[in-house]
Amino acid sequence: MKKQQQERTPRYRFWRNVGIITVSGLIGGVIGFLTEMFGYEKPLEIQSFFSKEVLLLGSAVLFLVAFILTITLLMCARKVHQKMLQIEDDDEAYHYDIQKKKLYGLATIFKGIMILPYFLFVIFYSQLVDLDRPGAGDMAFIFGDFTMLYLFLVLIALFFLSDIFFRKTFHLIYGKPIPRNANAKEVREFMMSMMDEAEKQISYEENYEIIIKLSNYILPISLIAIFLVGIAFHTDILLALVVVSLIYLYILVSQYKITKRYYKE
């Protein structure tokens, strides 16, 4: 069992917050002083440090890594499922059942991660095409100027193949197919119908903790970090501030729905 966290007194929390604010102010002052002394006279474009081709290839590599991990985990889950069907002992079969669901859950995580480099690749490729620079740089020796186009098509094919294999594995393990052409609400209701009460409780607790960390730590710290980067490098931070602020506001406004449902008359 985890050791229970010691209750903090109001006095301790007050001086802890004062200490955090003081240290943050000192760090901000030092950054501002150094920026004033050694800062850039011209606005610094962070994108100038990276070429679009490098970002494009980096996104492709990350996608392939996530794709390989996803497929590997799904194949392992299918093998464990086949072993479970051959076992007659209930306790041992339960052990394999937990193991296959764990593997499938990990595959779900990596499949979600795979979406990020996939969209980054699409975005960077679209920017290159928009700039009339769809070339492959140092990789042009493979398929010439069409290397990036072929890579783009391959990643799209792999993305859809992984989704098909993901759905078939779910059907094999749980005995039910994932609804096709369903919206987010319908998928959520379907997935919750597959959970028992213990799984639902764990999901509720973990999701609530994620919301608390996002609204109290990650997003406020992100806003401060963006602000400091804008000061240090004299770069345009408006778009980054708008995106983070909208996410922050969405989380806060969504609490209205929770309050309305809980205190419903």
Side-chain angles (χ1 to χ4, degrees), residues 28-262:
V30 171
I31 294 175
F33 175 78
L34 294 177
T35 302
E36 184 68 22
M37 293 292 296
F38 308 103
Y40 294 90
E41 296 181 357
K42 297 180 179 180
L44 179 64
E45 294 292 337
I46 298 177
Q47 289 185 355
S48 62
F49 290 101
F50 308 96
S51 67
K52 290 291 193 300
E53 290 80 3
V54 171
L55 294 174
L56 188 70
L57 294 176
S59 301
V61 171
L62 291 176
F63 175 88
L64 292 175
V65 171
F67 172 81
I68 292 172
L69 290 173
T70 301
I71 297 300
T72 301
L73 289 169
L74 290 175
M75 292 178 64
C76 291
R78 296 171 75 95
K79 290 181 179 179
V80 173
H81 178 73
Q82 295 298 330
K83 290 182 180 179
M84 186 195 70
L85 297 179
Q86 299 173 1
I87 295 174
E88 297 181 358
D89 183 72
D90 292 338
D91 293 335
E92 189 174 359
Y94 176 78
H95 169 74
Y96 281 108
D97 182 62
I98 295 297
Q99 187 177 0
K100 74 176 182 181
K101 290 180 179 179
K102 181 179 180 179
L103 290 169
Y104 188 83
L106 293 174
T108 304
I109 295 174
F110 282 106
K111 184 176 182 296
I113 295 175
M114 185 172 59
I115 295 175
L116 178 59
Y118 172 77
F119 277 112
L120 289 177
F121 184 90
V122 173
I123 291 171
F124 293 135
Y125 181 78
S126 300
Q127 289 181 345
L128 285 177
V129 173
D130 184 62
L131 295 172
D132 295 327
R133 291 192 295 113
D138 295 335
M139 294 185 63
F141 68 93
I142 301 178
F143 296 110
D145 292 337
F146 293 98
T147 299
M148 290 302 180
L149 175 60
Y150 292 153
L151 183 59
F152 174 72
L153 296 176
V154 168
L155 291 190
I156 291 179
L158 291 178
F159 182 80
F160 282 103
L161 287 175
S162 65
D163 185 69
I164 294 172
F165 193 57
F166 181 83
R167 289 176 174 272
K168 288 186 176 181
T169 304
F170 183 92
H171 192 185
L172 176 68
I173 292 177
Y174 292 96
K176 293 182 179 180
I178 299 177
R180 292 186 175 275
N181 303 321
N183 56 32
K185 181 179 180 181
E186 293 170 344
V187 172
R188 178 181 63 84
E189 292 176 351
F190 172 77
M191 297 304 296
M192 290 186 67
S193 67
M194 302 291 293
M195 299 180 182
D196 56 25
E197 293 301 322
E199 290 177 313
K200 290 181 181 179
Q201 184 64 28
I202 293 174
S203 179
Y204 293 151
E205 292 177 357
E206 292 298 325
N207 290 333
Y208 180 75
E209 185 175 355
I210 291 173
I211 294 298
I212 293 297
K213 289 181 179 179
L214 280 173
S215 59
N216 289 276
Y217 298 104
I218 298 177
L219 292 179
I221 292 174
S222 299
L223 289 172
I224 295 174
I226 293 171
F227 172 72
L228 293 177
V229 168
I231 293 178
F233 297 104
H234 300 283
T235 187
D236 186 9
I237 60 173
L238 179 60
L239 181 59
L241 287 175
V242 169
V243 172
V244 176
S245 299
L246 288 176
I247 297 174
Y248 193 28
L249 288 175
Y250 172 77
I251 292 175
L252 296 177
V253 172
S254 65
Q255 302 303 308
Y256 168 75
K257 184 178 180 181
I258 298 175
T259 304
K260 183 178 179 180
R261 290 182 59 184
Y262 185 78

